[in-house]
Amino acid sequence: IFAFLLSYFKPSLLLLDTTCSGGDTGSHNYPARYMRDYLLPKGKLTGWSMDWYAGIPMFHFYFPLPFALIALFSYVIPFNIAFKLVTVLGSFLLPIAAFTAMRMMRFKFPIPALAAICTLPFLFNEGNSMWGGNIPSTLAGEFSYSLSLALVVIFLGLLYRGIKLCPDFKHLAACSVLFATATLCHAYPVFFAAFVSLFFLFNQSVQNFKYLLKTYALAGLLAAFWLLPLFAKAGYSSVYHYVWASTPVEKVFPAVLRPFLLLACFGVYKGLKRGDDRILYLTFGVLTAAVLYKAAPGIGVTDIRFVPFLQLFLMLIAACSVVAGLERIKAKWVLPIIAVFLTIVWVGHNVGYISAWMDWNYSGFESKAYWHQFKAVTNYLRSLPPGRVAHEYSSSHDKFGTPRAFESIPLFAGKPVLEGLNIESALTAPYVFNIQSEISLTPTCPIPGLRCNPFSITNATKHLRLFNVRYVVATSEKLKGVLRTSADYRLLKKFDEIEVYEMVYRNGYATLPEYEPVLVQANNWKPIALEWFRAVADVPVVFVDSVDARSASRFKTVYRDASGFDPNTLPRIPIVRDCSVNSSVKDEEILIETTCIGKPLLVKVSYFPNWQVEGADRVYLVTPAFMLLFPAQTHVRLYYGYTLADYVGVCFTVFGIGILFCMLLSQLKFFRKPKR
């Protein structure tokens, strides 16, 4: 199996020290590098980065463990090679996981070997390239999902062994560690696994419920340092989910899987006839995936993410059916040999684009024909004075390695860029993609339900100033044409069809607004802020849950009810501009020198509860999703600290580690109580 995998995942490319490209994968290089260069040296797995979306809580809402693995490996081997090896880790681990899980469930030889073989059609199925688990999804950037899926398969096998096959309910600690580890890799596989475990409540429900409760409680404690802050601050993310209008059967069951579907049906029949609890368990996994797929829109998650579980569990059942149909054969050792040969021939016959995609990804940015142009652009940006960059989206950028190539400006040019990956993590994502639509000939507008603005350099200029953008990278003739004739932009340099412009008017990361901000009491503030942004309003709106006396005295206009709020009718009260503001920005710190004591200062960095302030009494949330404060002294320092949820989460994890340590000690003979 590994030999077959390596015939596609060529070691000559995996061990080539080039920057991995392709789909979302290319953009994952930057957060992995940030984990290695900034977070891990500070003993952190989560933190703040200024380099995407005007500031993003890095790894608060995305999964840190695969990136931590990349960072750790990169201390021993080159970073680019470490990145590539971790991206393929889930694909290589899945056959091992299937083999291990079936062994744990005490399936006799050769079923575990056949289960490992049956993962190949699943891995190489080309019916989709973004649902998760298969190789195309991994190449598109879903390597965290692949790793979590493999861990969850082992977990479900060990869970069955601990509950069904061990009279004293063993393996609880190992199950908890596996589940917590998978949680830190990706959410969908652990969500699926938790529902599959309901199978054990149909028999001996009280005892099994206690086992599951202890398992998930300990796993929750071990991952609490990340989970608790995630849930506590979920309101400061951009939650969205896709709902596929229809999922064609040929996509769910492409040609490479169809013969195994027939085998799976036979396996279910034989298992039900025998009353084999293990087959019922795997069949329950298939049914769980189908139910979650249907229920997903109602619970706010992406439905199509559950289809890979249905596919994979059918493949595991198919492995069982081979032996069930050939029970009288004595020399069963020959079955895996025949099966792996036939499977490899069948899979190889049905593989189309995977090989070319692998070559594209793992040859790296540096091997592309237009690397010299991309490198020239990013080197030039690096040489310019500090400033945020906005780029026009264009599918033509794929020639550099991925259509999202310029999201890697922080990696290659050392400058922050508006658009990035991990849309859900960024509170400012809806506004950034509206700006993208205002400056792009072919915008993506990737957030479902978001109505993006039409192309408009007038609106774009106001929004780019609001986001303190200094440089614009233009590709289409449409955008370049309007920038050349606009007095607000200055052409800096051309690189074939790519042109770099500088905005003439800038005012820094911390500024005195033109008009007095208004205070609005509103719990559901996001729709109001988006309406304000789309209207290109210029009166800042500050949102609070409740209006206290101190806040009411600071603002000249206060709305205690957000109903009927109209951003076009806000009072425009000019602020006397008789003071100065200077600011500098680091990853987790903003320093402000100002003489505007007691006046509102707009800080053009994304709001997040972890931001704390010295030199002012509090940080307000202000439109579109920035920060506002009233300085009480000339020196103001904003720093990214810790909230109560962060501290409590860490305490819970330390407590969980203590419980785990005690459980492990109790397994040692020296610490066991002597039997009477």
Side-chain angles (χ1 to χ4, degrees):
I1 291 169
F2 275 10
F4 182 67
L5 287 171
L6 287 171
S7 70
Y8 285 87
F9 290 104
K10 298 182 180 69
S12 60
L13 292 178
L14 293 178
L15 301 179
L16 184 65
D17 191 4
T18 54
T19 310
C20 197
S21 60
D24 292 356
T25 306
S27 296
H28 278 302
N29 283 283
Y30 164 66
R33 182 85 69 166
Y34 187 74
M35 174 70 80
R36 187 197 72 172
D37 294 344
Y38 186 81
L39 292 178
L40 279 190
K42 292 184 175 293
K44 301 165 63 172
L45 286 178
T46 64
W48 187 266
S49 169
M50 293 290 185
D51 287 334
W52 279 346
Y53 299 107
I56 182 174
M58 193 66 79
F59 300 116
H60 267 282
F61 302 114
Y62 200 70
F63 311 99
L65 187 55
F67 296 87
L69 288 176
I70 294 170
L72 290 172
F73 291 162
S74 72
Y75 294 140
V76 180
I77 59 178
F79 170 84
N80 289 327
I81 297 175
F83 183 90
K84 293 177 181 180
L85 294 180
V86 172
T87 63
V88 306
L89 183 59
S91 298
F92 279 84
L93 184 58
L94 187 60
I96 298 174
F99 177 85
T100 303
M102 301 302 261
R103 284 287 299 270
M104 288 176 174
M105 295 167 66
R106 291 185 183 168
F107 279 103
K108 294 181 180 179
F109 178 87
I111 290 178
L114 294 173
I117 294 166
C118 284
T119 62
L120 288 177
F122 169 78
L123 285 170
F124 283 88
N125 106 71
E126 295 182 343
N128 72 87
S129 62
M130 61 185 301
W131 298 353
N134 61 341
I135 288 173
S137 297
T138 300
L139 295 173
E142 290 288 341
F143 58 87
S144 295
Y145 185 115
S146 299
L147 183 55
S148 181
L149 174 61
L151 294 173
V152 155
V153 170
I154 300 173
F155 164 78
L156 288 173
L158 187 60
L159 190 66
Y160 185 93
R161 185 182 186 90
I163 292 179
K164 290 286 188 178
L165 304 178
C166 296
D168 52 352
F169 292 90
K170 290 183 178 179
H171 310 303
L172 192 152
C175 283
S176 298
V177 172
L178 269 172
F179 195 81
T181 304
T183 300
L184 296 173
C185 291
H186 208 281
Y188 280 95
V190 296
F191 192 73
F192 165 75
F195 276 91
V196 173
S197 66
L198 297 177
F199 173 83
F200 300 109
L201 300 184
F202 295 121
N203 187 22
Q204 294 182 330
S205 57
V206 175
Q207 287 181 308
N208 294 352
F209 176 76
K210 290 180 180 178
Y211 186 94
L212 292 176
L213 182 62
K214 292 177 181 178
T215 297
Y216 292 134
L218 179 55
L221 288 173
L222 294 174
F225 75 94
W226 181 75
L227 281 175
L228 192 61
L230 180 148
F231 288 120
K233 305 167 194 175
Y236 299 99
S237 64
S238 294
V239 178
Y240 77 96
H241 62 280
Y242 286 103
V243 177
W244 263 250
S246 62
T247 307
V249 174
E250 60 269 21
K251 292 286 188 181
V252 177
F253 300 113
V256 71
L257 297 182
R258 286 170 200 165
F260 299 89
L261 178 61
L262 296 175
L263 288 173
C265 292
F266 177 69
V268 171
Y269 166 74
K270 293 291 287 187
L272 293 175
K273 187 176 180 180
R274 290 178 170 181
D276 190 332
D277 206 41
R278 298 167 300 178
I279 300 297
L280 291 176
Y281 182 46
L282 296 175
T283 304
F284 187 77
V286 174
L287 297 175
T288 299
V291 170
L292 289 174
Y293 168 76
K294 286 294 184 182
I299 56 179
V301 292
T302 305
D303 54 359
I304 209 69
R305 295 289 197 177
F306 296 105
V307 172
F309 310 126
L310 183 148
Q311 296 170 327
L312 179 59
F313 271 63
L314 284 173
M315 301 303 291
L316 298 180
I317 297 172
C320 303
S321 71
V322 174
V323 177
L326 300 170
E327 294 170 335
R328 296 183 180 180
I329 294 180
K330 293 184 179 180
K332 289 187 172 60
W333 58 268
V334 80
L335 290 179
I337 297 174
I338 296 172
V340 75
F341 174 75
L342 293 177
T343 301
I344 286 174
V345 171
W346 174 252
V347 170
H349 174 72
N350 283 278
V351 171
Y353 59 80
I354 284 179
S355 183
W357 196 349
M358 286 185 179
D359 291 347
W360 180 264
N361 275 26
Y362 295 118
S363 61
F365 281 92
E366 294 86 346
S367 71
K368 303 300 178 282
Y370 290 88
W371 164 248
H372 67 283
Q373 182 186 2
F374 182 73
K375 187 62 175 175
V377 174
T378 54
N379 281 346
Y380 179 70
L381 288 172
R382 181 180 289 276
S383 70
L384 294 173
R388 275 190 188 137
V389 182
H391 70 279
E392 177 185 10
Y393 176 85
S394 174
S395 58
S396 67
H397 296 161
D398 191 45
K399 67 183 182 181
F400 301 132
T402 166
R404 312 183 74 155
F406 284 111
E407 292 179 357
S408 295
I409 283 175
L411 180 72
F412 290 110
K415 280 191 168 51
V417 67
L418 275 193
E419 188 178 332
L421 205 58
N422 302 345
I423 297 173
E424 301 98 320
S425 299
L427 189 59
T428 54
Y431 316 109
V432 167
F433 285 103
N434 260 292
I435 294 174
Q436 183 213 75
S437 69
E438 292 170 343
I439 63 172
S440 299
L441 180 63
T442 56
T444 57
C445 200
I447 303 177
L450 178 66
R451 182 170 56 89
C452 288
N453 289 343
F455 185 96
S456 171
I457 196 61
T458 301
N459 290 346
T461 300
K462 294 178 181 178
H463 287 150
L464 291 171
R465 287 175 180 170
L466 175 65
F467 272 75
N468 194 37
V469 168
R470 183 169 184 175
Y471 305 107
V472 177
V473 178
T475 302
S476 70
E477 290 301 323
K478 183 176 182 178
L479 178 60
K480 290 185 291 187
V482 296
L483 293 182
R484 289 177 194 137
T485 58
S486 173
D488 295 311
Y489 300 88
R490 178 169 65 95
L491 176 62
L492 295 180
K493 197 160 186 177
K494 297 181 180 181
F495 301 87
D496 295 330
E497 83 283 7
I498 304 293
E499 295 182 356
V500 178
Y501 290 82
E502 183 179 26
M503 296 194 71
V504 174
Y505 173 82
R506 298 184 307 278
N507 52 15
Y509 285 101
T511 65
L512 194 66
E514 186 176 355
Y515 300 105
E516 289 282 354
V518 302
L519 187 68
V520 176
Q521 181 175 324
N523 294 322
N524 188 20
W525 61 272
K526 290 181 181 178
I528 302 173
L530 186 58
E531 182 183 359
W532 177 92
F533 185 83
R534 289 180 55 81
V536 201
D538 51 9
V539 176
V541 179
V542 172
F543 299 103
V544 291
D545 294 331
S546 59
V547 180
D548 57 39
R550 181 68 180 274
S551 296
S553 65
R554 282 177 165 166
F555 295 90
K556 292 181 169 54
T557 305
V558 178
Y559 291 84
R560 296 183 181 271
D561 184 3
S563 60
F565 179 84
D566 185 356
N568 296 307
T569 61
L570 294 174
R572 297 159 67 91
I573 306 173
I575 296 178
V576 178
R577 309 179 73 80
D578 57 353
C579 54
S580 63
V581 184
N582 292 300
S583 59
S584 61
V585 169
K586 300 178 182 178
D587 277 311
E588 295 186 330
E589 186 179 52
I590 304 168
L591 299 177
I592 303 172
E593 296 292 335
T594 180
T595 58
C596 303
I597 308 302
K599 292 189 176 184
L601 291 186
L602 175 64
V603 181
K604 299 178 179 182
V605 173
S606 300
Y607 179 88
F608 202 65
N610 287 63
W611 281 107
Q612 299 171 26
V613 64
E614 296 173 352
D617 63 337
R618 66 173 292 182
V619 178
Y620 290 95
L621 168 64
V622 64
T623 49
F626 290 158
M627 295 183 283
L628 184 136
L629 52 86
F630 291 84
Q633 58 188 45
T634 56
H635 175 74
V636 178
R637 175 177 174 256
L638 281 158
Y639 63 96
Y640 191 80
Y642 297 96
T643 65
L644 179 62
D646 297 308
Y647 287 118
V648 173
V650 170
C651 290
F652 279 172
T653 294
V654 171
F655 181 59
I657 293 173
I659 293 175
L660 181 64
F661 182 70
C662 292
M663 292 175 69
L664 295 176
L665 284 181
S666 68
Q667 300 300 313
L668 300 177
K669 291 183 179 180
F670 180 79
F671 291 96
R672 291 178 184 173
K673 293 182 179 180
K675 295 182 179 180
R676 294 182 180 179

